[in-house]
Amino acid sequence: MDKTQRRIMGQPFSIPTSQPKKKRTPMMSFFPKVSGKLRFQKQETLKNMFFILTEGARDCSAKKRHMAMKGLGTLACEAPDKVRKYNKIVLDLLVHGLYDPVSSEVIHESMKTLSIILGKIQGKGLGSFFIDITLQTRTLLDDENDSLRYSAFVLFGQLAAFAGRKWKKFFTTQVKHTRDSLLIHLWDKNPQVAKACKTTFQACSPYLKLRKEYSFQSEEDQRNPKLCRQLSHYHPELLQFFYANKIL
């Protein structure tokens, strides 16, 4: 860390405000600018922003952690090269945010930012973070919060695309454990969640037919046509997709 970075980490980051008499913390003054559509220009500014965001992501304040996660998402959109450079640091922060013990807002923002970053890095460099992200995301598929469920389905669908050969066996097992959630939320009360679930179901379909026990084509399912009737009525195109791919 150079002198400039140490100075920024050790001293307040002051930004002029329109109301100078109103006291604002340096971190809270900084985040709204990062969360907006800010165009980053100078490399030094990018570096400073990144280190301030990493500090915020570890802050004891849930509000600051939430805003830091949001800022990292904006940084990933505006300066993906910077995120790739510090890939492991960013992923570590986001995984910790995904397991935040206090704030559902931090968890939600971490998932949204992970979705952005996975798209930027195309799943490269995930390493063992893939396991941590998958396990926690799977538990959120049935969360009572609509926003968390929606983001969890989106992220889980992305993970299906990035499992690769290394995590294929692991992810296949996770999809097997997730099958009930995938079926239930096709009829989720929230239409956006149901739509995200449908997309994720299709993304996970290759993992459902790798082995006979992972397929819906069991004797029990064949004896009970209820699932097929429901799909035929509510999601005929999904039923056709399952038939075409020999999942049903």
Side-chain angles (χ1 to χ4, degrees), residues 66 98 103-113 115 136-137 139-156 185 188-194 196-197:
H66 170 249
L98 201 60
S103 173
S104 61
E105 290 184 344
V106 173
I107 294 172
H108 184 215
E109 205 63 53
S110 298
M111 277 196 293
K112 291 198 298 182
T113 299
S115 290
Q136 180 65 349
T137 302
T139 66
L140 297 169
L141 296 176
D142 296 313
D143 196 273
E144 61 182 12
N145 184 300
D146 289 7
S147 296
L148 283 176
R149 286 201 313 281
Y150 173 80
S151 294
F153 275 111
V154 171
L155 184 55
F156 200 79
H185 292 290
D188 195 280
K189 61 182 180 180
N190 186 305
Q192 292 300 315
V193 175
C197 176

Side-chain angles (χ1 to χ4, degrees), residues 26 73 139 188 207 209 248:
T139 66
D188 195 280
Y207 300 94
K209 61 176 185 176
L248 276 174

